[in-house]
Amino acid sequence: MKKTEFITGSFIALTLVVLLGVFFFQALFQPLYEGKVMPVDNVNLKNRLSLHYVLKNVHNASKYLASHGKSYFNNRELVPSRKITFGESKNFEEGSANEVTSIVVNYRGFDTLGEVTVLFISIIGLTMLIGGVVGKKLRQPSLIVRTGSRFLFPFILLFGIYIFIHGHLTPGGGFPGGAVIASGFLLLLLGLESYKFNTTASKIVESLAGLTFVSIGLVGLFAKNSFLANFIPTGTIGFLYSAGMVALIYIVIGIKVGAELSTGVAELKEGDEND
Amino acid sequence: MFIIGVILITIGVTFSTLGALGLVRMPDLYNRLQTSTKATTLGAFSTIIGVGFLNPAWLIKTIVIATFILLTAPISSHNLARASHKWGIPLSDKTSVDKYDSKSGKKE
């Protein structure tokens, strides 16, 4: 890399960081629920799914509360008035059936963006430190393993995609789905001697996924006045097309994490060929 | 449907029990690997398919899971046995034939 390119790149990065910092500090000193940043929607606390889960009884929470009195919540406004049914209820916690997903992507979506960045940086560090050091050649696997890994790879890929597409319905989500996809690529790398992992393609896919994540957040910022706010209508709980932005973001995270981890694994095996 | 499911689950449970018995009874690694693989493959396979027959809404899902088990378990145990043979883990005293040893000796 030329020196001038490096200097211009770091200058642009510095400007972006300073602008973002100014933006965040402005947000910190604005009064809550008065300025432009905070109020997303008028949240009705009765509609919170977590309250039903705290009571460990989703279907009969209101009955349970009626029999146990006020000892759980001093404020009577918090008592859930409706019960939650799969395929019928709407707008509880942004319509996601999996409560963990609803917290990870909706309440702390910005934190998830930070997690993805941390993973990215750690993969870069790993490949820089260990990649290319491997000198010992792997032993040739047997015929059964070679055939089996070629046969199993699409199934593993499909399973990973299933995990992150159903992130808002069942346990799972973007990170486990991406890890499963990376394990499929690891199987190919170990099982097939001739397999070459296309590192440049995976890097492009990964950067595009990261860009999509940030741009979804920016669309939320323009539409609902808050970064990573949900701008898609939340459907009915339990359906595939529900939970609005959660499913979209989990698909993006799954692709990004899968590409990242498999790039790391491939670079550990083959070493850095560019240098 | 119900009777088929119960029969399949019974077969699966029987094979799992036999596999657990073999894990205790067999003398060395290779025989134990063989019994335990039979237990996971046939035992888990027919139990899962049987559950699918008991609840027909899950049948397609259970068939997919069972196919995955049927594909992965034999491959992994084959690779375990091969790796431990190459590593030099000894056979039991009662074993009389080791065809893989002579074969690989010629090749390498």
Side-chain angles (χ1 to χ4, degrees):
Chain A
M1 193 186 279
K2 287 175 194 167
K3 205 177 178 184
T4 49
E5 277 180 22
F6 183 73
I7 290 173
T8 40
S10 46
F11 180 71
I12 292 171
L14 194 70
T15 336
L16 277 177
V17 166
V18 167
L19 279 177
L20 267 181
V22 168
F23 179 70
F24 287 138
F25 270 96
Q26 260 193 343
L28 278 182
F29 292 115
Q30 267 176 353
L32 298 182
Y33 292 99
E34 208 176 307
K36 308 164 205 167
V37 184
M38 263 316 276
V40 178
D41 276 320
N42 285 327
V43 179
N44 187 6
L45 285 179
K46 283 181 186 174
N47 289 351
R48 295 234 148 155
L49 190 66
S50 47
L51 206 60
H52 295 72
Y53 276 103
V54 165
L55 297 169
K56 302 257 192 303
N57 191 343
V58 179
H59 291 293
N60 296 318
S62 43
K63 270 188 209 168
Y64 188 79
L65 268 175
S67 61
H68 282 74
K70 291 186 199 168
S71 59
Y72 280 89
F73 301 99
N74 292 323
N75 191 355
R76 265 204 149 172
E77 287 287 307
L78 287 174
V79 175
S81 55
R82 287 189 281 163
K83 62 177 185 177
I84 295 175
T85 332
F86 265 38
E88 287 175 23
S89 308
K90 282 179 183 175
N91 287 329
F92 281 103
E93 302 275 338
E94 308 291 345
S96 140
N98 183 6
E99 193 204 359
V100 176
T101 308
S102 143
I103 288 170
V104 165
V105 180
N106 255 316
Y107 293 121
R108 33 150 284 192
F110 195 63
D111 197 50
T112 310
L113 183 62
E115 275 173 16
V116 173
T117 318
V118 165
L119 188 69
F120 173 65
I121 292 168
S122 63
I123 290 287
I124 289 178
L126 183 79
T127 48
M128 273 176 73
L129 285 177
I130 315 177
V133 180
V134 186
K136 206 175 174 184
K137 254 211 147 188
L138 294 169
R139 197 174 266 158
Q140 169 87 7
S142 70
L143 180 70
I144 298 175
V145 176
R146 271 179 278 153
T147 321
S149 59
R150 197 174 296 168
F151 198 79
L152 278 172
F153 174 67
F155 287 96
I156 295 173
L157 213 63
L158 187 70
F159 184 57
I161 291 169
Y162 169 79
I163 286 181
F164 67 68
I165 282 183
H166 276 228
H168 57 294
L169 300 175
T170 48
F175 288 93
V180 168
I181 288 176
S183 78
F185 278 108
L186 177 63
L187 179 71
L188 272 195
L189 285 167
L190 289 177
L192 298 177
E193 197 89 324
S194 57
Y195 178 70
K196 280 273 180 205
F197 186 78
N198 194 345
T199 321
T200 43
S202 81
K203 275 173 187 164
I204 289 170
V205 166
E206 189 232 309
S207 340
L208 280 181
L211 203 66
T212 321
F213 195 159
V214 178
S215 47
I216 288 172
L218 285 177
V219 171
L221 180 65
F222 285 118
K224 290 259 176 174
N225 276 336
S226 168
F227 190 67
L228 281 169
N230 194 358
F231 57 92
I232 304 171
T234 59
T236 314
I237 285 181
F239 281 99
L240 185 62
Y241 296 108
S242 67
M245 191 192 62
V246 174
L248 257 179
I249 283 190
Y250 256 157
I251 289 170
V252 171
I253 290 176
I255 292 170
K256 187 168 162 62
V257 170
E260 260 168 20
L261 288 179
S262 31
T263 314
V265 166
E267 295 228 347
L268 281 191
K269 191 204 170 191
E270 292 166 5
D272 203 357
E273 287 173 356
N274 300 325
D275 287 339
Chain B
M1 281 306 229
F2 182 77
I3 297 173
I4 299 172
V6 169
I7 288 172
L8 278 174
I9 289 179
T10 318
I11 292 172
V13 170
T14 317
F15 267 87
S16 297
T17 321
L18 289 177
L21 190 70
L23 211 58
V24 182
R25 174 74 182 75
M26 288 299 178
D28 65 342
L29 185 141
Y30 304 99
N31 286 312
R32 279 177 185 164
L33 210 55
Q34 183 233 0
T35 53
S36 66
T37 310
K38 279 213 175 69
T40 43
T41 316
L42 195 57
F45 178 80
S46 49
T47 312
I48 290 169
I49 294 274
V51 169
F53 270 106
L54 286 189
N55 193 345
W58 302 347
L59 188 58
I60 298 172
K61 242 183 208 178
T62 53
I63 285 175
V64 171
I65 295 169
T67 317
F68 200 73
I69 287 175
L70 201 66
L71 286 173
T72 48
I75 292 176
S76 62
S77 68
H78 152 79
N79 220 18
L80 269 177
R82 186 170 177 267
S84 45
H85 194 279
K86 288 211 165 172
W87 199 255
I89 290 172
L91 307 166
S92 87
D93 303 332
K94 291 171 189 168
T95 315
S96 52
V97 189
D98 186 5
K99 284 191 176 173
Y100 186 63
D101 192 29
S102 58
K103 234 184 182 176
S104 60
K106 270 178 198 171
K107 267 187 180 174
E108 286 176 7

